[in-house]
Structure formats: structure tokens, C-alpha cells
Amino acid sequence: MENTNQTHHHFKIFKPYGCLSQFVQEKMKNKSLLGDFYDFPENTMAIGRLDHDSEGLLLLTTDGMTSHKVRNKSIEKEYYVQVDGVITQEAISKLQEGVEITVNGSKYLTLPCKAFALGSEPDLPPRGKNIRHPKHGPTSWISITICEGKKRQIRKMTAAVGFPTLRLVRVRIGEIYINNLMPGDVESLPNIEDVLNC
């Protein structure tokens, strides 16, 4: 049987803040697109998405089957989240157990997830746009790992426990890490299925 990985191409990108997770501009919008950062092969698609105001690891592929595997609930997605205020263990526990958010106008209970406070600010590149002035109070960083992906889920989860999200950066998908990529950087992933343990 032919190895499809030899006929398809896979990539990872650090999607910058303000960039859309797509290749085609939407009407009435003037934001950067994925194709602005790299000359991707024809038929390259983003696997899932990150909202324009979220950053970090985004995978791309020319293979629809690979896209389907990565979006499966068996694949973890880890985010570093800067929140407003000093996160409490009570809030962390609620996130771990699942919280009620609104999805498409209906109440939804998120699945149990991994969550913990980061001891210090993670080593991430500056966002390029100020989060807010320090005089408005303290902030803290947490790690949240989920296996689902409802629209703006992480932001809704932290808001539900009283700590609104200020910055959201995806740092891992499966066993693929953002590592030392800078915003806009692209790397080829020749063995994406091996790395994802598909």
C-alpha cells in the first residue's frame, strides 16, 4: 500500500495574534492570513483553528485523513493561559472537573480536563500588542489541556470560574510542541503521524 505521507505535506506554525486560521480573506476584514507567512503547497488546510485573538501551535496538512485524526478527541491540546487575577486552587479544581459554558445558545458541561497553575510566566515571545497595564492588578498563568474544542472554549471556561482570559497560547497538540517557534514561523512535519502516535 502506498505511504500517503510521501505524497502529502504537513506543517506546524506559530499562529500570531490577529491572524486568521485560514487562507481566504473574509468580507469586511483586513487581517493577516496563514498564506502570508509561507508558500504552502496547493490544497493545504489548517487542522482545526485558533481564534484571531489566540496564538500558538496550529497544524496544517494537505491530507484530509490526517486532519480528521488530529481533530479526534483522543488527541490532547494544551494551552498556556494568562488570566486576570491570582488563580485559586478552587478555580483549578472546577476547571479539572468540568464547568458549564454556553455553546450555540445552549448550556454545555465541559469534559474533565487537566489544569494546573504555572509557577512562573512561561517563556513565550511577546504578543506584540499590550495585554493591559500592570496597574489594573495581578495576573497569573495556568496550563489547561483539553480533548475537545468548542468555540472559544478555554476563554469561556476561565470566565466561568471567575478568571477571564487575557492571553491564550496553544503550546502542544498530541506529542507535537511549539518549542522555540516565533510568531509566524513555519516548520515542516514529515512524520506527523509518528509524532501524534496515530
Side-chain angles (χ1 to χ4, degrees), residues 8-37:
H8 283 288
H9 303 276
H10 319 285
F11 306 90
K12 68 177 180 179
I13 184 174
F14 189 131
K15 189 197 82 66
Y17 176 86
C19 172
L20 299 179
S21 299
Q22 58 199 50
F23 289 90
V24 179
Q25 191 66 261
E26 296 179 6
K27 290 182 179 179
M28 309 301 292
K29 289 190 177 181
N30 186 26
K31 296 184 178 295
S32 58
L33 303 172
L34 297 174
D36 295 340
F37 301 97

Side-chain angles (χ1 to χ4, degrees), residues 37-110:
F37 301 97
Y38 190 83
D39 186 15
F40 291 101
E42 189 177 359
N43 299 322
T44 299
M45 67 189 89
I47 302 177
R49 66 193 298 274
L50 284 171
D51 294 317
H52 75 94
D53 52 352
S54 300
E55 310 159 67
L57 183 61
L58 185 67
L59 303 184
L60 303 98
T61 184
T62 57
D63 181 26
M65 183 57 69
T66 295
S67 177
H68 176 73
K69 288 180 178 180
V70 173
R71 287 183 284 111
N72 189 282
K73 284 188 177 180
S74 66
I75 304 296
E76 291 184 337
K77 286 84 175 176
E78 182 178 8
Y79 300 80
Y80 284 170
V81 193
Q82 184 182 20
V83 297
D84 186 3
V86 179
I87 195 77
T88 63
Q89 186 53 50
E90 179 185 11
I92 291 288
S93 297
K94 288 180 179 178
L95 291 171
Q96 292 170 341
E97 295 166 4
V99 295
E100 189 176 274
I101 62 174
T102 300
V103 177
N104 296 326
S106 300
K107 292 181 178 179
Y108 176 79
L109 182 64
T110 62

Side-chain angles (χ1 to χ4, degrees), residues 117-192:
L118 297 174
S120 59
E121 182 175 341
D123 185 19
L124 295 169
R127 191 173 78 171
K129 181 178 181 180
N130 289 337
I131 307 296
R132 68 167 200 194
H133 197 281
K135 71 179 182 182
H136 293 296
T139 67
S140 49
W141 284 88
I142 58 178
S143 165
I144 299 179
T145 300
I146 59 176
C147 293
E148 53 183 341
K150 305 298 183 184
K151 186 174 182 181
R152 299 184 77 77
Q153 178 173 338
I154 298 289
R155 295 177 185 275
K156 291 177 180 179
M157 288 172 64
T158 67
V161 298
F163 293 88
T165 291
L166 299 175
R167 187 182 182 190
L168 180 60
V169 184
R170 185 158 63 196
V171 296
R172 177 174 67 88
I173 299 174
E175 295 302 317
I176 299 176
Y177 291 80
I178 200 164
N179 294 332
N180 296 320
L181 289 185
M182 298 295 287
D185 283 355
V186 177
E187 259 184 33
S188 178
L189 292 172
N191 300 309
I192 188 172

